[in-house]
Amino acid sequence: MKILPKSWRKILISAWALFGLGVAILATIALCKYIKENTTQQWYKYTISDEVQLYRNYERQEMRFYNTRLKRYVSPKMQWYSDAVSEGDSLVVFCDLKDKRGYLNLNTGEMVIESQYDYAWNFSNGLAAVCRNMKIGFINALGEEVIPCQYPTSDYLIDRLGYAFYNGYCTVTNSKNECGLIDTNGVLVVDTIYDCIWNPCKAGVRIVQDEGKYGIMDLTGKIIVPLEYDDIWCDGFRLFVVQNGIMSQLDNTGKIVQPFCSSYGFESLYNGYFKYYVKDKEGVVDSKGNVVIPAIYHYVNQLDDNIFAVQYDQDYSGEGGAWITIRLR
């Protein structure tokens, strides 16, 4: 047997060593790739109903529905779905991986209306609002457009308005962003003349705003409290109105049931004065309940027996305006 020179043996050993190192590097790369792929492919299972399971991949931000009766995935991959549905309804909005909205049947997990809308809302009173090219329309459960996409909207309005039917009426807007109400046939029953008409609150009325003043309309669109207040809000089933720093409580017919109240009770000062609150504003009443400083200021401080310092405004950074002094009596 011919023996290779010592120099050649060294070369072959080095070559085999390099080959082994290369194999080890490639194996490490393949293992890292396998681990990464299996990590990103991790799907977590959640039971939605007896028939539907949700598989979710958090790293990919994807999810899809699996039907246990059909033994297959029945929905497209999606970013999210809305599980808030009206009573007795089963269709929910979903958003696909291309940011288009459609509808799924939550009972089966199957897609019912293909994802094709820029925005979509859940069904109410048998109809659902959809948006194409910043125009709002309404479809039925079959996906038929029963009220055409003709009502202009904007990102501001989409965030502010719910576009849902309540008691047969829904808020829509014109090209000037003015609000009105339509019925389920698309008939305009309240002209588009208001800055905003909100969805009904728990008190069973709609709050209306126009030119900085607030009022209340009933569920049919009839004004029951004129638009003359500085603010109106609903806290649970209670309605509160504010005018010139004075807060009162109303019932849902517009009748005053408490002529004066404070958002957070009363804070005792001295010399017979009390601080009261209207949301984030402060004011002062005397021991007889008479308003001596209306709640139109961000801060009120008592300096002496009958002397108060008040501050009007506060910007988003928390910086306030100049302080002024008010002397009583």
Side-chain angles (χ1 to χ4, degrees):
M1 178 183 293
K2 187 176 181 181
I3 300 175
L4 292 173
K6 188 175 181 181
S7 60
W8 280 100
R9 291 202 304 271
K10 290 182 177 179
I11 291 173
L12 286 174
I13 291 171
S14 298
W16 277 107
L18 288 173
F19 177 76
L21 178 62
V23 171
I25 291 173
L26 291 174
T28 301
I29 293 173
L31 178 62
C32 290
K33 184 178 179 181
Y34 173 81
I35 293 173
K36 182 179 180 181
E37 286 179 351
N38 279 270
T39 300
T40 57
Q41 293 289 339
Q42 182 66 50
W43 292 83
Y44 295 89
K45 182 175 69 174
Y46 302 91
T47 298
I48 304 300
S49 66
D50 292 339
E51 191 171 316
V52 178
Q53 293 174 337
L54 175 70
Y55 282 80
R56 185 169 187 174
N57 187 308
Y58 288 94
E59 188 165 344
R60 285 185 169 190
Q61 296 184 342
E62 295 177 7
M63 60 181 69
R64 63 193 310 190
F65 282 126
Y66 181 86
N67 187 294
T68 57
R69 178 178 57 83
L70 299 176
K71 293 183 172 48
R72 61 180 175 85
Y73 289 105
V74 290
S75 76
K77 291 181 180 180
M78 53 189 173
Q79 299 180 52
W80 54 262
Y81 75 97
S82 172
D83 58 358
V85 297
S86 302
E87 185 176 353
D89 201 357
S90 59
L91 297 186
V92 297
V93 180
F94 78 95
C95 178
D96 68 16
L97 301 185
K98 296 181 179 179
D99 283 330
K100 291 295 184 181
R101 275 71 161 172
Y103 291 84
L104 300 168
N105 187 320
L106 199 58
N107 293 333
T108 65
E110 296 176 292
M111 183 172 66
V112 177
I113 299 172
E114 184 180 351
S115 52
Q116 56 189 289
Y117 304 107
D118 300 324
Y119 296 95
W121 289 261
N122 282 336
F123 278 82
S124 59
N125 290 183
L127 297 176
V130 293
C131 180
R132 277 200 185 102
N133 302 319
M134 301 312 286
K135 295 287 181 69
I136 297 291
F138 297 86
I139 61 173
N140 61 20
L142 299 177
E144 300 168 333
E145 196 171 289
V146 296
I147 300 177
C149 292
Q150 58 184 319
Y151 302 104
T153 189
S154 63
D155 291 334
Y156 168 74
L157 291 172
I158 285 173
D159 289 338
R160 200 176 196 199
L161 302 178
Y163 292 116
F165 278 94
Y166 293 90
N167 198 46
Y169 301 98
C170 179
T171 302
V172 294
T173 52
N174 61 17
S175 59
K176 297 179 181 179
N177 289 345
E178 296 169 320
C179 295
L181 292 180
I182 62 170
D183 63 18
T184 53
N185 294 315
V187 177
L188 191 67
V189 294
V190 174
D191 289 337
T192 48
I193 59 174
Y194 300 101
D195 289 341
C196 191
I197 303 175
W198 279 275
N199 287 336
C201 64
K202 289 183 178 179
V205 295
R206 293 178 182 266
I207 297 173
V208 190
Q209 178 194 6
D210 193 48
E211 296 183 353
K213 293 295 182 180
Y214 293 78
I216 297 174
M217 63 172 51
D218 66 15
L219 295 180
T220 67
K222 178 184 177 182
I223 296 292
I224 57 176
V225 174
L227 280 72
E228 59 187 20
Y229 290 97
D230 299 327
D231 197 3
I232 297 179
W233 69 92
C234 183
D235 181 6
F237 293 92
R238 302 179 301 171
L239 288 166
F240 296 96
V241 298
V242 178
Q243 194 168 44
N244 301 322
I246 308 297
M247 183 171 74
S248 305
Q249 183 182 345
L250 310 180
D251 63 18
N252 62 1
T253 68
K255 180 182 177 182
I256 294 178
V257 294
Q258 190 174 354
F260 179 83
C261 48
S262 173
S263 295
Y264 312 111
F266 296 87
E267 178 184 338
S268 178
L269 302 175
Y270 54 90
N271 201 29
Y273 293 111
F274 300 84
K275 186 184 291 188
Y276 77 98
Y277 303 87
V278 175
K279 283 193 167 181
D280 61 344
K281 301 296 179 66
E282 301 181 355
V284 177
V285 297
D286 62 19
S287 57
K288 296 181 180 180
N290 299 313
V291 174
V292 293
I293 298 178
I296 58 176
Y297 303 103
H298 277 287
Y299 296 106
V300 174
N301 287 335
Q302 188 172 15
L303 303 180
D304 205 344
D305 285 352
N306 301 304
I307 301 175
F308 294 82
V310 299
Q311 187 183 43
Y312 263 110
D313 299 316
Q314 185 179 43
D315 61 25
Y316 291 110
S317 67
E319 295 295 328
W323 289 82
I324 62 173
T325 301
I326 297 177
R327 183 184 296 273
L328 302 177
R329 300 177 185 174

